[in-house]
Amino acid sequence: MARPQSAAEFDKKKVVAENRRARFDYSIEQVFEAGIALQGTEVKSLRFGEGTIAESYAEVNGGEVWLINANIPEFSHGNRFNHEPRRPRKLLLNGREINKLHAGVMRQGMTLVPLSVYFNSRGRAKVELALAKGKKAHDKRESIKERDWKRDKQRLMKERG
């Protein structure tokens, strides 16, 4: 079985959409790479760099994982066979990964958050999916303090040379 990899290990050739707010709002426990079952016009739309996952989430339903509320706009040169922009999209994972995600969601406070949508080196559309726990307000303040301290530390190191 393929092990969950860290975000740095995934082969991201072209990032289409990124959920930057997710790393601030959630503490990331595990990261998974999942394929997406797309229609033809959805792939074309993604290749043009269109698509957002800011308000999206994933859910385990009936032994399958679904990406909900991801917006891939209609293809501009499409015809009457264009896709619906906010339809649920099936995520492609193996059985053990689905079981891990399902067990994580059943625990209190865990959720499935898409971090980014990208094309890998083989040209396949992938989703970086995180099993995460929501942060409280005081945790977010800690994150802000830590980020500010890192920025100040870098500035001080640059000044001292």
Side-chain angles (χ1 to χ4, degrees):
M1 177 186 110
R3 290 192 171 172
Q5 300 173 339
S6 69
E9 292 183 40
F10 293 138
D11 184 23
K12 294 183 180 182
K13 191 82 167 173
K14 178 186 176 188
V15 177
V16 177
E18 197 167 12
N19 190 353
R20 303 173 93 201
R21 186 85 185 159
R23 295 194 189 274
F24 180 72
D25 288 338
Y26 299 95
S27 60
I28 308 298
E29 302 285 326
Q30 269 187 316
V31 179
F32 297 89
E33 181 180 45
I36 320 171
L38 296 172
Q39 296 176 354
T41 54
E42 290 174 324
V43 176
K44 291 178 182 182
S45 213
L46 283 176
R47 288 207 188 277
F48 276 110
E50 299 173 350
T52 57
I53 56 169
E55 309 92 30
S56 65
Y57 61 96
E59 67 179 20
V60 180
N61 192 359
E64 297 176 338
V65 182
W66 295 88
L67 183 63
I68 309 295
N69 210 22
N71 184 24
I72 300 175
E74 290 184 349
F75 184 54
S76 58
H77 303 313
N79 54 15
R80 63 184 176 158
F81 300 114
N82 248 336
H83 63 276
E84 185 182 327
R86 287 196 181 270
R87 74 176 183 88
R89 293 167 177 90
K90 185 176 177 181
L91 296 181
L92 308 172
L93 292 158
N94 68 37
R96 287 186 184 160
E97 290 173 331
I98 293 172
N99 290 339
K100 271 188 184 179
L101 293 176
H102 186 61
V105 169
M106 286 296 119
R107 285 187 272 159
Q108 187 177 8
M110 301 296 275
T111 185
L112 296 175
V113 181
L115 299 177
S116 64
V117 175
Y118 58 92
F119 286 98
N120 66 4
S121 59
R122 295 179 61 195
R124 308 267 192 233
K126 301 286 183 178
V127 174
E128 188 177 15
L129 191 65
L131 188 60
K133 189 169 196 139
K135 285 185 184 177
K136 307 282 188 223
H138 59 16
D139 294 332
K140 292 180 185 179
R141 286 193 293 270
E142 277 297 318
S143 298
I144 292 170
K145 285 180 190 175
E146 188 176 317
R147 186 178 61 209
D148 289 344
W149 167 241
K150 284 182 181 177
R151 187 181 309 130
D152 291 342
K153 189 167 63 172
Q154 287 292 333
R155 186 177 42 81
L156 290 170
M157 294 295 285
K158 187 176 179 183
E159 288 174 359
R160 296 242 171 139

